[in-house]
Amino acid sequence: MLKFEFKPFDVLFFGSGKPFNRGDDANSIFPPFPHTFAGAISNRLATFCKIDSSRAIKSIYGPFIKKHVPIKKDVLIPGEEILFFPSPSNIYTARKEDNPNFFCALRPLENEQLKLFSPQNTNKPGAISTFCVYTKDETEIEPFTRLISIKYLKYWLDGSIENILSENNNKIETKKNIIKLDEICQNDERIGIKINYEQGTVEKESNVYRVSFKKLKIEPAEEFSLVVWVEFNLEDENLKNANLGYEEIKAIFEKEPHVLKVGGESKSVFYKLNESSFFEEIKELLEIENTFVGFLKCEDNSLSIFTNKDEKTEMKIEKGDKIQILFLTQGVFNDFLPNLLKLCGFKTKSMVMNGCLNVTLYSSKSKRLFAKAIPAGTVVWAEAEKDIEILPENSHTLFQNDLIGSNLVLIRKEKNVK
């Protein structure tokens, strides 16, 4: 795989797919969708080789945030590099600032009668059994919207994240493993004007709108980068006809300048290129028992994981076993996910997600097609209603997905307590 690390020269706009009218506000999302970078990378191939590169990329992993921690402050010596993921949506913290060390990891409500309400008497989707509810005390809580390191994600997997966050008084350790979005970037409000390029004039008086860009802070912008891993589809006929193998593709991206046009405003982004495997960099997670990372696909009443991991062992699940699914990138499916899991033999116990994203599936001058996307960080709990094998498969059929890079998940089979 080739690993791209991106650092913008200017403000960026990454659209969420939410439509807006002239006069409205357009807000940038961060981190952006994977297909945003897939399009920019494949476009460089099209520019250099004059080919149709729409099928050139087999799979893309990310984007994720990489933090560069120097050995000593103000000393230009390569230090530690830490990979960050969106925080699982079931991690909550105290809403009031006077309780900064309060954290909890919500779990599906099991066999508990609440005086306030019953899940069966709400408007929850029928495919979901129950909610995740905090019932220990009267603490007001809110989502813990952060980015967390691989180290802290391991704590989430083994169930100790609540204690680690609550008892960790080491501010240096916390700052090293948790990132707030406003530590990386800030909003940059600008006015946009719809231009008639043929006449060089403003199209209409009303065609003025405000755009909220994302801008990496000057300090500590040098410490952070957006990173993706890309595997190219060497079986693509357009690449074959142009005699482009792995080494030839790599050489194209090694050519100067190392710049791509990315985002809704086609801003220039500098990139650094390395050879690296995504699975090698997250091997700490894969070493955990019964843990699997790959692209989730629910099709033909079966659940599959598309992965390029060298060790392709299936995950055997017996009737009654429970699994957790954590979305590392946004999820896009052709139906409500619990309905698809039901067809695959799973009963969805609960699901936690922070909001919902709009994603553009198709766009032309006359028509735009949108879909609702599951945001990264969403957590799903499911229970097998029959014996199931989640099979690893090669990702060559991922082109059937509308959005490359979506549905990258971490699946963990929970231990049976009998």
Side-chain angles (χ1 to χ4, degrees), residues 30-31 63-66 83-88 144-150 152-153 174-184 224 226 328 376:
F30 192 89
F64 303 113
I65 300 296
K66 178 156 282 191
L83 191 63
F84 285 81
F85 299 90
S87 173
F144 179 70
T145 52
R146 305 286 193 274
L147 299 169
I148 64 173
S149 67
I150 285 184
Y152 274 38
L153 189 53
T174 301
K175 186 175 179 60
K176 181 179 177 181
N177 291 283
I178 296 175
I179 299 175
K180 295 181 180 179
L181 185 57
D182 59 11
E183 292 179 35
I184 305 174
F224 296 94
L226 284 163
L328 301 178

PDB file of all heavy atoms in Angstrom, residues 30-31 63-66 83-88 144-150 152-153 174-184 224 226 328 376:
ATOM      1  N   PHE A  30     -15.297  17.865   9.285  1.00  0.00           N
ATOM      2  CA  PHE A  30     -13.915  17.437   9.514  1.00  0.00           C
ATOM      3  C   PHE A  30     -13.930  16.291  10.513  1.00  0.00           C
ATOM      4  O   PHE A  30     -14.620  16.390  11.533  1.00  0.00           O
ATOM      5  CB  PHE A  30     -13.091  18.609  10.066  1.00  0.00           C
ATOM      6  CG  PHE A  30     -11.616  18.354  10.063  1.00  0.00           C
ATOM      7  CD1 PHE A  30     -10.854  18.677   8.955  1.00  0.00           C
ATOM      8  CD2 PHE A  30     -10.994  17.775  11.153  1.00  0.00           C
ATOM      9  CE1 PHE A  30      -9.492  18.443   8.945  1.00  0.00           C
ATOM     10  CE2 PHE A  30      -9.648  17.534  11.152  1.00  0.00           C
ATOM     11  CZ  PHE A  30      -8.886  17.874  10.045  1.00  0.00           C
ATOM     12  N   PRO A  31     -13.217  15.202  10.249  1.00  0.00           N
ATOM     13  CA  PRO A  31     -12.446  14.890   9.047  1.00  0.00           C
ATOM     14  C   PRO A  31     -13.369  14.651   7.846  1.00  0.00           C
ATOM     15  O   PRO A  31     -14.554  14.375   8.015  1.00  0.00           O
ATOM     16  CB  PRO A  31     -11.714  13.603   9.426  1.00  0.00           C
ATOM     17  CG  PRO A  31     -11.793  13.483  10.901  1.00  0.00           C
ATOM     18  CD  PRO A  31     -13.071  14.152  11.275  1.00  0.00           C
ATOM     19  N   PRO A  63      -9.725   8.978   5.930  1.00  0.00           N
ATOM     20  CA  PRO A  63      -8.575   9.605   6.571  1.00  0.00           C
ATOM     21  C   PRO A  63      -8.652   9.554   8.096  1.00  0.00           C
ATOM     22  O   PRO A  63      -9.723   9.639   8.683  1.00  0.00           O
ATOM     23  CB  PRO A  63      -8.668  11.056   6.083  1.00  0.00           C
ATOM     24  CG  PRO A  63     -10.151  11.276   5.910  1.00  0.00           C
ATOM     25  CD  PRO A  63     -10.703   9.965   5.432  1.00  0.00           C
ATOM     26  N   PHE A  64      -7.475   9.414   8.691  1.00  0.00           N
ATOM     27  CA  PHE A  64      -7.332   9.503  10.136  1.00  0.00           C
ATOM     28  C   PHE A  64      -6.341  10.616  10.452  1.00  0.00           C
ATOM     29  O   PHE A  64      -5.672  11.138   9.560  1.00  0.00           O
ATOM     30  CB  PHE A  64      -6.855   8.170  10.715  1.00  0.00           C
ATOM     31  CG  PHE A  64      -7.765   7.019  10.380  1.00  0.00           C
ATOM     32  CD1 PHE A  64      -7.342   5.994   9.545  1.00  0.00           C
ATOM     33  CD2 PHE A  64      -9.050   6.975  10.881  1.00  0.00           C
ATOM     34  CE1 PHE A  64      -8.186   4.943   9.228  1.00  0.00           C
ATOM     35  CE2 PHE A  64      -9.917   5.922  10.557  1.00  0.00           C
ATOM     36  CZ  PHE A  64      -9.472   4.905   9.734  1.00  0.00           C
ATOM     37  N   ILE A  65      -6.268  10.967  11.708  1.00  0.00           N
ATOM     38  CA  ILE A  65      -5.349  12.015  12.139  1.00  0.00           C
ATOM     39  C   ILE A  65      -4.081  11.378  12.689  1.00  0.00           C
ATOM     40  O   ILE A  65      -4.148  10.430  13.474  1.00  0.00           O
ATOM     41  CB  ILE A  65      -5.992  12.901  13.235  1.00  0.00           C
ATOM     42  CG1 ILE A  65      -7.259  13.561  12.706  1.00  0.00           C
ATOM     43  CG2 ILE A  65      -5.002  13.964  13.715  1.00  0.00           C
ATOM     44  CD1 ILE A  65      -7.032  14.521  11.564  1.00  0.00           C
ATOM     45  N   LYS A  66      -2.955  11.872  12.238  1.00  0.00           N
ATOM     46  CA  LYS A  66      -1.673  11.419  12.802  1.00  0.00           C
ATOM     47  C   LYS A  66      -1.035  12.595  13.522  1.00  0.00           C
ATOM     48  O   LYS A  66      -0.897  13.686  12.965  1.00  0.00           O
ATOM     49  CB  LYS A  66      -0.754  10.884  11.710  1.00  0.00           C
ATOM     50  CG  LYS A  66       0.603  10.440  12.236  1.00  0.00           C
ATOM     51  CD  LYS A  66       1.268   9.425  11.335  1.00  0.00           C
ATOM     52  CE  LYS A  66       0.684   8.037  11.527  1.00  0.00           C
ATOM     53  NZ  LYS A  66       1.484   6.980  10.862  1.00  0.00           N
ATOM     54  N   LEU A  83      -1.490   7.495  15.892  1.00  0.00           N
ATOM     55  CA  LEU A  83      -2.652   7.477  15.016  1.00  0.00           C
ATOM     56  C   LEU A  83      -3.923   7.635  15.854  1.00  0.00           C
ATOM     57  O   LEU A  83      -4.084   6.972  16.880  1.00  0.00           O
ATOM     58  CB  LEU A  83      -2.700   6.163  14.240  1.00  0.00           C
ATOM     59  CG  LEU A  83      -3.689   6.064  13.090  1.00  0.00           C
ATOM     60  CD1 LEU A  83      -3.361   7.072  11.996  1.00  0.00           C
ATOM     61  CD2 LEU A  83      -3.695   4.640  12.518  1.00  0.00           C
ATOM     62  N   PHE A  84      -4.817   8.522  15.408  1.00  0.00           N
ATOM     63  CA  PHE A  84      -6.047   8.820  16.144  1.00  0.00           C
ATOM     64  C   PHE A  84      -7.280   8.454  15.323  1.00  0.00           C
ATOM     65  O   PHE A  84      -7.309   8.619  14.099  1.00  0.00           O
ATOM     66  CB  PHE A  84      -6.109  10.306  16.506  1.00  0.00           C
ATOM     67  CG  PHE A  84      -5.201  10.694  17.639  1.00  0.00           C
ATOM     68  CD1 PHE A  84      -3.859  10.921  17.418  1.00  0.00           C
ATOM     69  CD2 PHE A  84      -5.698  10.821  18.921  1.00  0.00           C
ATOM     70  CE1 PHE A  84      -3.012  11.272  18.451  1.00  0.00           C
ATOM     71  CE2 PHE A  84      -4.864  11.176  19.968  1.00  0.00           C
ATOM     72  CZ  PHE A  84      -3.512  11.406  19.743  1.00  0.00           C
ATOM     73  N   PHE A  85      -8.305   7.961  16.046  1.00  0.00           N
ATOM     74  CA  PHE A  85      -9.580   7.571  15.451  1.00  0.00           C
ATOM     75  C   PHE A  85     -10.708   8.364  16.110  1.00  0.00           C
ATOM     76  O   PHE A  85     -10.561   8.840  17.232  1.00  0.00           O
ATOM     77  CB  PHE A  85      -9.833   6.081  15.661  1.00  0.00           C
ATOM     78  CG  PHE A  85      -8.806   5.182  15.046  1.00  0.00           C
ATOM     79  CD1 PHE A  85      -7.689   4.788  15.766  1.00  0.00           C
ATOM     80  CD2 PHE A  85      -8.950   4.728  13.750  1.00  0.00           C
ATOM     81  CE1 PHE A  85      -6.735   3.959  15.205  1.00  0.00           C
ATOM     82  CE2 PHE A  85      -8.003   3.900  13.174  1.00  0.00           C
ATOM     83  CZ  PHE A  85      -6.889   3.513  13.902  1.00  0.00           C
ATOM     84  N   PRO A  86     -11.864   8.477  15.423  1.00  0.00           N
ATOM     85  CA  PRO A  86     -13.018   9.093  16.086  1.00  0.00           C
ATOM     86  C   PRO A  86     -13.387   8.319  17.339  1.00  0.00           C
ATOM     87  O   PRO A  86     -13.377   7.088  17.351  1.00  0.00           O
ATOM     88  CB  PRO A  86     -14.125   8.988  15.030  1.00  0.00           C
ATOM     89  CG  PRO A  86     -13.398   8.871  13.732  1.00  0.00           C
ATOM     90  CD  PRO A  86     -12.148   8.102  14.028  1.00  0.00           C
ATOM     91  N   SER A  87     -13.705   9.024  18.392  1.00  0.00           N
ATOM     92  CA  SER A  87     -14.055   8.383  19.656  1.00  0.00           C
ATOM     93  C   SER A  87     -15.346   7.578  19.510  1.00  0.00           C
ATOM     94  O   SER A  87     -16.302   8.033  18.867  1.00  0.00           O
ATOM     95  CB  SER A  87     -14.247   9.451  20.735  1.00  0.00           C
ATOM     96  OG  SER A  87     -14.750   8.890  21.927  1.00  0.00           O
ATOM     97  N   PRO A  88     -15.415   6.361  20.070  1.00  0.00           N
ATOM     98  CA  PRO A  88     -16.670   5.596  20.059  1.00  0.00           C
ATOM     99  C   PRO A  88     -17.809   6.411  20.670  1.00  0.00           C
ATOM    100  O   PRO A  88     -17.640   7.055  21.715  1.00  0.00           O
ATOM    101  CB  PRO A  88     -16.335   4.367  20.922  1.00  0.00           C
ATOM    102  CG  PRO A  88     -14.853   4.201  20.775  1.00  0.00           C
ATOM    103  CD  PRO A  88     -14.310   5.587  20.702  1.00  0.00           C
ATOM    104  N   PHE A 144     -18.833  12.450  24.277  1.00  0.00           N
ATOM    105  CA  PHE A 144     -17.403  12.758  24.380  1.00  0.00           C
ATOM    106  C   PHE A 144     -16.850  12.841  22.958  1.00  0.00           C
ATOM    107  O   PHE A 144     -16.289  11.897  22.424  1.00  0.00           O
ATOM    108  CB  PHE A 144     -16.714  11.649  25.186  1.00  0.00           C
ATOM    109  CG  PHE A 144     -15.236  11.816  25.352  1.00  0.00           C
ATOM    110  CD1 PHE A 144     -14.715  12.819  26.157  1.00  0.00           C
ATOM    111  CD2 PHE A 144     -14.349  10.958  24.725  1.00  0.00           C
ATOM    112  CE1 PHE A 144     -13.349  12.968  26.333  1.00  0.00           C
ATOM    113  CE2 PHE A 144     -12.975  11.090  24.890  1.00  0.00           C
ATOM    114  CZ  PHE A 144     -12.479  12.105  25.693  1.00  0.00           C
ATOM    115  N   THR A 145     -17.039  13.982  22.323  1.00  0.00           N
ATOM    116  CA  THR A 145     -16.682  14.141  20.907  1.00  0.00           C
ATOM    117  C   THR A 145     -15.207  14.517  20.792  1.00  0.00           C
ATOM    118  O   THR A 145     -14.844  15.690  20.768  1.00  0.00           O
ATOM    119  CB  THR A 145     -17.555  15.217  20.254  1.00  0.00           C
ATOM    120  OG1 THR A 145     -17.496  16.411  21.047  1.00  0.00           O
ATOM    121  CG2 THR A 145     -18.999  14.746  20.166  1.00  0.00           C
ATOM    122  N   ARG A 146     -14.386  13.523  20.739  1.00  0.00           N
ATOM    123  CA  ARG A 146     -12.945  13.714  20.655  1.00  0.00           C
ATOM    124  C   ARG A 146     -12.371  12.724  19.635  1.00  0.00           C
ATOM    125  O   ARG A 146     -13.080  11.907  19.056  1.00  0.00           O
ATOM    126  CB  ARG A 146     -12.270  13.457  22.008  1.00  0.00           C
ATOM    127  CG  ARG A 146     -12.809  14.259  23.174  1.00  0.00           C
ATOM    128  CD  ARG A 146     -12.382  15.713  23.123  1.00  0.00           C
ATOM    129  NE  ARG A 146     -12.645  16.366  24.395  1.00  0.00           N
ATOM    130  CZ  ARG A 146     -13.794  16.919  24.736  1.00  0.00           C
ATOM    131  NH1 ARG A 146     -14.813  16.870  23.883  1.00  0.00           N
ATOM    132  NH2 ARG A 146     -13.955  17.513  25.913  1.00  0.00           N
ATOM    133  N   LEU A 147     -11.085  12.787  19.448  1.00  0.00           N
ATOM    134  CA  LEU A 147     -10.338  11.771  18.726  1.00  0.00           C
ATOM    135  C   LEU A 147      -9.454  11.073  19.745  1.00  0.00           C
ATOM    136  O   LEU A 147      -8.864  11.727  20.611  1.00  0.00           O
ATOM    137  CB  LEU A 147      -9.476  12.396  17.629  1.00  0.00           C
ATOM    138  CG  LEU A 147     -10.219  13.168  16.541  1.00  0.00           C
ATOM    139  CD1 LEU A 147      -9.229  13.958  15.683  1.00  0.00           C
ATOM    140  CD2 LEU A 147     -11.040  12.243  15.678  1.00  0.00           C
ATOM    141  N   ILE A 148      -9.395   9.727  19.680  1.00  0.00           N
ATOM    142  CA  ILE A 148      -8.606   8.996  20.655  1.00  0.00           C
ATOM    143  C   ILE A 148      -7.546   8.154  19.957  1.00  0.00           C
ATOM    144  O   ILE A 148      -7.711   7.741  18.815  1.00  0.00           O
ATOM    145  CB  ILE A 148      -9.485   8.109  21.570  1.00  0.00           C
ATOM    146  CG1 ILE A 148     -10.185   7.014  20.764  1.00  0.00           C
ATOM    147  CG2 ILE A 148     -10.495   8.952  22.329  1.00  0.00           C
ATOM    148  CD1 ILE A 148     -10.926   6.020  21.646  1.00  0.00           C
ATOM    149  N   SER A 149      -6.467   7.897  20.665  1.00  0.00           N
ATOM    150  CA  SER A 149      -5.337   7.149  20.112  1.00  0.00           C
ATOM    151  C   SER A 149      -5.649   5.662  20.065  1.00  0.00           C
ATOM    152  O   SER A 149      -6.629   5.178  20.647  1.00  0.00           O
ATOM    153  CB  SER A 149      -4.101   7.393  20.973  1.00  0.00           C
ATOM    154  OG  SER A 149      -4.286   6.816  22.262  1.00  0.00           O
ATOM    155  N   ILE A 150      -4.788   4.910  19.378  1.00  0.00           N
ATOM    156  CA  ILE A 150      -4.906   3.452  19.355  1.00  0.00           C
ATOM    157  C   ILE A 150      -4.833   2.896  20.773  1.00  0.00           C
ATOM    158  O   ILE A 150      -5.572   1.969  21.135  1.00  0.00           O
ATOM    159  CB  ILE A 150      -3.801   2.836  18.483  1.00  0.00           C
ATOM    160  CG1 ILE A 150      -4.117   3.035  16.997  1.00  0.00           C
ATOM    161  CG2 ILE A 150      -3.628   1.353  18.763  1.00  0.00           C
ATOM    162  CD1 ILE A 150      -3.128   2.388  16.058  1.00  0.00           C
ATOM    163  N   TYR A 152      -5.817   4.212  23.600  1.00  0.00           N
ATOM    164  CA  TYR A 152      -7.087   4.389  24.314  1.00  0.00           C
ATOM    165  C   TYR A 152      -8.211   3.590  23.654  1.00  0.00           C
ATOM    166  O   TYR A 152      -9.172   3.202  24.324  1.00  0.00           O
ATOM    167  CB  TYR A 152      -7.442   5.872  24.393  1.00  0.00           C
ATOM    168  CG  TYR A 152      -6.804   6.563  25.579  1.00  0.00           C
ATOM    169  CD1 TYR A 152      -5.514   6.237  25.985  1.00  0.00           C
ATOM    170  CD2 TYR A 152      -7.470   7.543  26.312  1.00  0.00           C
ATOM    171  CE1 TYR A 152      -4.915   6.849  27.059  1.00  0.00           C
ATOM    172  CE2 TYR A 152      -6.880   8.166  27.400  1.00  0.00           C
ATOM    173  CZ  TYR A 152      -5.606   7.817  27.770  1.00  0.00           C
ATOM    174  OH  TYR A 152      -5.011   8.418  28.849  1.00  0.00           O
ATOM    175  N   LEU A 153      -8.094   3.359  22.344  1.00  0.00           N
ATOM    176  CA  LEU A 153      -9.092   2.513  21.686  1.00  0.00           C
ATOM    177  C   LEU A 153      -8.983   1.076  22.191  1.00  0.00           C
ATOM    178  O   LEU A 153      -9.987   0.370  22.312  1.00  0.00           O
ATOM    179  CB  LEU A 153      -8.899   2.569  20.172  1.00  0.00           C
ATOM    180  CG  LEU A 153      -9.992   1.912  19.312  1.00  0.00           C
ATOM    181  CD1 LEU A 153     -11.369   2.441  19.672  1.00  0.00           C
ATOM    182  CD2 LEU A 153      -9.710   2.130  17.828  1.00  0.00           C
ATOM    183  N   THR A 174      -3.014  12.347  29.127  1.00  0.00           N
ATOM    184  CA  THR A 174      -4.309  12.604  28.509  1.00  0.00           C
ATOM    185  C   THR A 174      -4.151  13.416  27.226  1.00  0.00           C
ATOM    186  O   THR A 174      -4.757  13.100  26.195  1.00  0.00           O
ATOM    187  CB  THR A 174      -5.228  13.356  29.482  1.00  0.00           C
ATOM    188  OG1 THR A 174      -5.403  12.568  30.666  1.00  0.00           O
ATOM    189  CG2 THR A 174      -6.585  13.623  28.852  1.00  0.00           C
ATOM    190  N   LYS A 175      -3.354  14.455  27.265  1.00  0.00           N
ATOM    191  CA  LYS A 175      -3.142  15.303  26.093  1.00  0.00           C
ATOM    192  C   LYS A 175      -2.487  14.524  24.962  1.00  0.00           C
ATOM    193  O   LYS A 175      -2.737  14.782  23.780  1.00  0.00           O
ATOM    194  CB  LYS A 175      -2.278  16.502  26.475  1.00  0.00           C
ATOM    195  CG  LYS A 175      -2.103  17.532  25.359  1.00  0.00           C
ATOM    196  CD  LYS A 175      -1.356  18.739  25.838  1.00  0.00           C
ATOM    197  CE  LYS A 175      -1.168  19.766  24.721  1.00  0.00           C
ATOM    198  NZ  LYS A 175      -2.439  20.250  24.167  1.00  0.00           N
ATOM    199  N   LYS A 176      -1.687  13.529  25.323  1.00  0.00           N
ATOM    200  CA  LYS A 176      -0.995  12.733  24.328  1.00  0.00           C
ATOM    201  C   LYS A 176      -1.949  11.802  23.589  1.00  0.00           C
ATOM    202  O   LYS A 176      -1.734  11.490  22.415  1.00  0.00           O
ATOM    203  CB  LYS A 176       0.101  11.918  25.019  1.00  0.00           C
ATOM    204  CG  LYS A 176       0.936  11.044  24.106  1.00  0.00           C
ATOM    205  CD  LYS A 176       1.998  10.315  24.913  1.00  0.00           C
ATOM    206  CE  LYS A 176       2.801   9.371  24.047  1.00  0.00           C
ATOM    207  NZ  LYS A 176       3.824   8.620  24.825  1.00  0.00           N
ATOM    208  N   ASN A 177      -3.026  11.355  24.247  1.00  0.00           N
ATOM    209  CA  ASN A 177      -3.900  10.323  23.687  1.00  0.00           C
ATOM    210  C   ASN A 177      -5.297  10.793  23.334  1.00  0.00           C
ATOM    211  O   ASN A 177      -6.095  10.002  22.843  1.00  0.00           O
ATOM    212  CB  ASN A 177      -3.999   9.158  24.680  1.00  0.00           C
ATOM    213  CG  ASN A 177      -2.703   8.394  24.802  1.00  0.00           C
ATOM    214  OD1 ASN A 177      -2.355   7.597  23.946  1.00  0.00           O
ATOM    215  ND2 ASN A 177      -1.956   8.648  25.866  1.00  0.00           N
ATOM    216  N   ILE A 178      -5.619  12.044  23.599  1.00  0.00           N
ATOM    217  CA  ILE A 178      -6.940  12.588  23.286  1.00  0.00           C
ATOM    218  C   ILE A 178      -6.774  13.928  22.583  1.00  0.00           C
ATOM    219  O   ILE A 178      -5.967  14.759  23.001  1.00  0.00           O
ATOM    220  CB  ILE A 178      -7.789  12.772  24.564  1.00  0.00           C
ATOM    221  CG1 ILE A 178      -8.069  11.424  25.217  1.00  0.00           C
ATOM    222  CG2 ILE A 178      -9.104  13.470  24.234  1.00  0.00           C
ATOM    223  CD1 ILE A 178      -8.795  11.532  26.523  1.00  0.00           C
ATOM    224  N   ILE A 179      -7.524  14.133  21.517  1.00  0.00           N
ATOM    225  CA  ILE A 179      -7.466  15.386  20.769  1.00  0.00           C
ATOM    226  C   ILE A 179      -8.869  15.976  20.667  1.00  0.00           C
ATOM    227  O   ILE A 179      -9.818  15.289  20.294  1.00  0.00           O
ATOM    228  CB  ILE A 179      -6.925  15.172  19.342  1.00  0.00           C
ATOM    229  CG1 ILE A 179      -5.507  14.608  19.369  1.00  0.00           C
ATOM    230  CG2 ILE A 179      -6.941  16.491  18.568  1.00  0.00           C
ATOM    231  CD1 ILE A 179      -4.981  14.275  17.988  1.00  0.00           C
ATOM    232  N   LYS A 180      -8.991  17.249  20.979  1.00  0.00           N
ATOM    233  CA  LYS A 180     -10.208  17.992  20.686  1.00  0.00           C
ATOM    234  C   LYS A 180     -10.091  18.566  19.278  1.00  0.00           C
ATOM    235  O   LYS A 180      -8.998  18.956  18.845  1.00  0.00           O
ATOM    236  CB  LYS A 180     -10.402  19.135  21.688  1.00  0.00           C
ATOM    237  CG  LYS A 180     -10.649  18.699  23.118  1.00  0.00           C
ATOM    238  CD  LYS A 180     -10.842  19.918  24.000  1.00  0.00           C
ATOM    239  CE  LYS A 180     -11.097  19.512  25.443  1.00  0.00           C
ATOM    240  NZ  LYS A 180     -11.269  20.704  26.321  1.00  0.00           N
ATOM    241  N   LEU A 181     -11.208  18.620  18.577  1.00  0.00           N
ATOM    242  CA  LEU A 181     -11.175  19.101  17.202  1.00  0.00           C
ATOM    243  C   LEU A 181     -10.661  20.528  17.130  1.00  0.00           C
ATOM    244  O   LEU A 181      -9.912  20.891  16.217  1.00  0.00           O
ATOM    245  CB  LEU A 181     -12.571  19.008  16.574  1.00  0.00           C
ATOM    246  CG  LEU A 181     -12.660  19.366  15.081  1.00  0.00           C
ATOM    247  CD1 LEU A 181     -11.732  18.500  14.249  1.00  0.00           C
ATOM    248  CD2 LEU A 181     -14.093  19.247  14.592  1.00  0.00           C
ATOM    249  N   ASP A 182     -11.037  21.364  18.118  1.00  0.00           N
ATOM    250  CA  ASP A 182     -10.600  22.760  18.060  1.00  0.00           C
ATOM    251  C   ASP A 182      -9.119  22.922  18.389  1.00  0.00           C
ATOM    252  O   ASP A 182      -8.582  24.020  18.313  1.00  0.00           O
ATOM    253  CB  ASP A 182     -11.462  23.649  18.967  1.00  0.00           C
ATOM    254  CG  ASP A 182     -11.438  23.214  20.425  1.00  0.00           C
ATOM    255  OD1 ASP A 182     -10.599  22.366  20.775  1.00  0.00           O
ATOM    256  OD2 ASP A 182     -12.254  23.722  21.212  1.00  0.00           O
ATOM    257  N   GLU A 183      -8.450  21.840  18.791  1.00  0.00           N
ATOM    258  CA  GLU A 183      -7.001  21.897  18.952  1.00  0.00           C
ATOM    259  C   GLU A 183      -6.303  21.824  17.600  1.00  0.00           C
ATOM    260  O   GLU A 183      -5.151  22.262  17.455  1.00  0.00           O
ATOM    261  CB  GLU A 183      -6.505  20.733  19.821  1.00  0.00           C
ATOM    262  CG  GLU A 183      -6.931  20.790  21.275  1.00  0.00           C
ATOM    263  CD  GLU A 183      -6.417  19.591  22.046  1.00  0.00           C
ATOM    264  OE1 GLU A 183      -5.303  19.133  21.751  1.00  0.00           O
ATOM    265  OE2 GLU A 183      -7.137  19.092  22.927  1.00  0.00           O
ATOM    266  N   ILE A 184      -6.981  21.242  16.619  1.00  0.00           N
ATOM    267  CA  ILE A 184      -6.375  21.041  15.300  1.00  0.00           C
ATOM    268  C   ILE A 184      -6.744  22.153  14.340  1.00  0.00           C
ATOM    269  O   ILE A 184      -5.907  22.683  13.621  1.00  0.00           O
ATOM    270  CB  ILE A 184      -6.824  19.692  14.701  1.00  0.00           C
ATOM    271  CG1 ILE A 184      -6.510  18.553  15.659  1.00  0.00           C
ATOM    272  CG2 ILE A 184      -6.172  19.458  13.350  1.00  0.00           C
ATOM    273  CD1 ILE A 184      -7.039  17.225  15.198  1.00  0.00           C
ATOM    274  N   PHE A 224       0.310  17.848  13.231  1.00  0.00           N
ATOM    275  CA  PHE A 224      -0.783  17.008  12.778  1.00  0.00           C
ATOM    276  C   PHE A 224      -0.800  16.862  11.259  1.00  0.00           C
ATOM    277  O   PHE A 224      -0.364  17.753  10.528  1.00  0.00           O
ATOM    278  CB  PHE A 224      -2.132  17.587  13.226  1.00  0.00           C
ATOM    279  CG  PHE A 224      -2.308  17.627  14.711  1.00  0.00           C
ATOM    280  CD1 PHE A 224      -2.001  18.769  15.429  1.00  0.00           C
ATOM    281  CD2 PHE A 224      -2.778  16.519  15.393  1.00  0.00           C
ATOM    282  CE1 PHE A 224      -2.168  18.807  16.802  1.00  0.00           C
ATOM    283  CE2 PHE A 224      -2.944  16.552  16.754  1.00  0.00           C
ATOM    284  CZ  PHE A 224      -2.638  17.696  17.466  1.00  0.00           C
ATOM    285  N   LEU A 226      -3.337  14.687   8.036  1.00  0.00           N
ATOM    286  CA  LEU A 226      -4.374  13.737   7.639  1.00  0.00           C
ATOM    287  C   LEU A 226      -3.695  12.609   6.883  1.00  0.00           C
ATOM    288  O   LEU A 226      -2.857  12.854   6.006  1.00  0.00           O
ATOM    289  CB  LEU A 226      -5.406  14.419   6.737  1.00  0.00           C
ATOM    290  CG  LEU A 226      -6.413  15.333   7.424  1.00  0.00           C
ATOM    291  CD1 LEU A 226      -7.083  16.235   6.399  1.00  0.00           C
ATOM    292  CD2 LEU A 226      -7.460  14.522   8.163  1.00  0.00           C
ATOM    293  N   LEU A 328     -15.126   3.006  11.848  1.00  0.00           N
ATOM    294  CA  LEU A 328     -13.930   3.834  11.798  1.00  0.00           C
ATOM    295  C   LEU A 328     -14.048   4.917  10.724  1.00  0.00           C
ATOM    296  O   LEU A 328     -13.391   5.957  10.810  1.00  0.00           O
ATOM    297  CB  LEU A 328     -12.699   2.970  11.523  1.00  0.00           C
ATOM    298  CG  LEU A 328     -12.432   1.863  12.558  1.00  0.00           C
ATOM    299  CD1 LEU A 328     -11.209   1.046  12.161  1.00  0.00           C
ATOM    300  CD2 LEU A 328     -12.257   2.437  13.963  1.00  0.00           C
ATOM    301  N   ALA A 376     -18.687   8.216  11.511  1.00  0.00           N
ATOM    302  CA  ALA A 376     -17.609   7.458  12.139  1.00  0.00           C
ATOM    303  C   ALA A 376     -17.727   7.591  13.660  1.00  0.00           C
ATOM    304  O   ALA A 376     -18.092   8.642  14.178  1.00  0.00           O
ATOM    305  CB  ALA A 376     -16.255   7.994  11.665  1.00  0.00           C
TER     306      ALA A 376
END
